[in-house]
Structures are given as structure tokens and as C-alpha cells.
Amino acid sequence: MRETISSERCITIFGTTYQHTALEDRPKIEWFMQDGARPHRTEKAFRFLDEYFGNRVIALDCLKFTGTGMDWPPYSPDLTPCDYFLWGALKDTVYVNHPSTPDELESAICVACNSISVVTLKDVMSNFILRLRHFIFSNGEHFENVVFI
């Protein structure tokens, strides 16, 4: 059964993913980034993330609820690999056969994701590190006019 993502469902997913590992056991270089989707931006969701990531959370409204972490730059397509790579890379592949049902769409997404090579993913993650460095050096300002290769 497919479910709509609500705040409660979001926390359930976080719990399934992170609850088995205590904060002190997590690598100190690991950060949690999330977009500004409303289900992700509730006090309960931020408290959960704060428990497991401490100040290593980048999210819109994070500081408002926890006083820790870093606010996501509003309207920023600069940071996440999903925004600057994945959605564009998948779009043409997923919609080439015009899926008309949720099952067809899910299948097309799985096929498209599985077609991305390991080499491409490594390149994307190298680019991601460069983007984060630029973000730090720009003091959190937008940098859409910078070309990353």
C-alpha cells in the first residue's frame, strides 16, 4: 500500500532508518539534509533528527525548532544531488514510455535508477563535496552562477 507522506510517516521512516544507531556511534562527518517539504518541517521531526544528528542537520526551519543545525538556504537547488543531478537524469528515462499507472511509474523509476552507473554516482558525489565546500566559503549564499564540472 502506498502512503502519503505525513509528519508521522516521515518520523516512522526516520526511526526505521536511524533508531538502531546511537548518536555517539554515528560518524562525526555524517550530516542529514532535507528539503522544505512540510511533513519534514515539524517540531517532532526536528526533535527526532536532533537526537540522532545533533547540530549536523541542514534543513529549512531547523534552527526555529531545535536551536541547532543549519537552516537550508531557501529556494536553493545548489546542494542536493537529487536537485542538481538525479531528477533531471531520471526524467527522460522514466517518462519515455508514458507510464499511466502508479505501478508502471514505480517500475520505470526503479529501472531508471538501476541504470545509473557507479562511475556516474562517484562523479556526482565528488561534485557534491565541491558544492558543500563552495557553500561554506560563500557563507551560505546562493551560487547558482558557478559551474561545477
Side-chain angles (χ1 to χ4, degrees):
M1 180 173 114
R2 291 179 178 87
E3 295 182 48
T4 301
I5 296 293
S6 64
S7 180
E8 292 75 26
R9 178 77 179 125
C10 186
I11 292 166
T12 299
I13 293 168
F14 291 161
T16 303
T17 305
Y18 301 113
Q19 211 160 22
H20 65 278
T21 307
L23 179 61
E24 56 272 1
D25 296 334
R26 300 195 73 76
K28 297 300 183 216
I29 60 168
E30 185 178 64
W31 282 69
F32 184 90
M33 290 178 19
Q34 69 180 18
D35 62 10
R38 290 196 189 278
H40 304 164
R41 293 173 31 213
T42 65
E43 182 173 4
K44 193 172 180 182
F46 284 127
R47 296 279 177 219
F48 184 94
L49 291 171
D50 187 53
E51 181 180 338
Y52 291 94
F53 291 94
N55 68 345
R56 296 184 319 274
V57 174
I58 301 173
L60 188 60
D61 290 337
C62 180
L63 289 170
K64 179 170 106 177
F65 290 110
T66 65
T68 64
M70 181 183 297
D71 265 341
W72 183 273
Y75 310 108
S76 176
D78 307 322
L79 292 179
T80 67
C82 289
D83 286 335
Y84 70 80
F85 166 73
L86 186 62
W87 305 141
L90 295 180
K91 184 178 177 184
D92 292 335
T93 306
V94 167
Y95 290 104
V96 73
N97 292 322
H98 308 288
S100 59
T101 67
D103 287 336
E104 288 176 5
L105 179 61
E106 183 177 337
S107 178
I109 291 169
C110 289
V111 167
C113 287
N114 288 330
S115 71
I116 301 171
S117 73
V118 172
V119 171
T120 298
L121 293 175
K122 285 181 180 179
D123 289 345
V124 168
M125 294 317 296
S126 293
N127 186 282
F128 177 55
I129 292 167
L130 291 174
R131 286 168 181 271
L132 289 177
R133 286 183 181 147
H134 194 83
F135 179 68
I136 290 167
F137 292 132
S138 70
N139 200 29
E141 297 295 320
H142 286 279
F143 50 92
E144 287 124 357
N145 297 325
V146 176
V147 177
F148 293 92
I149 299 175

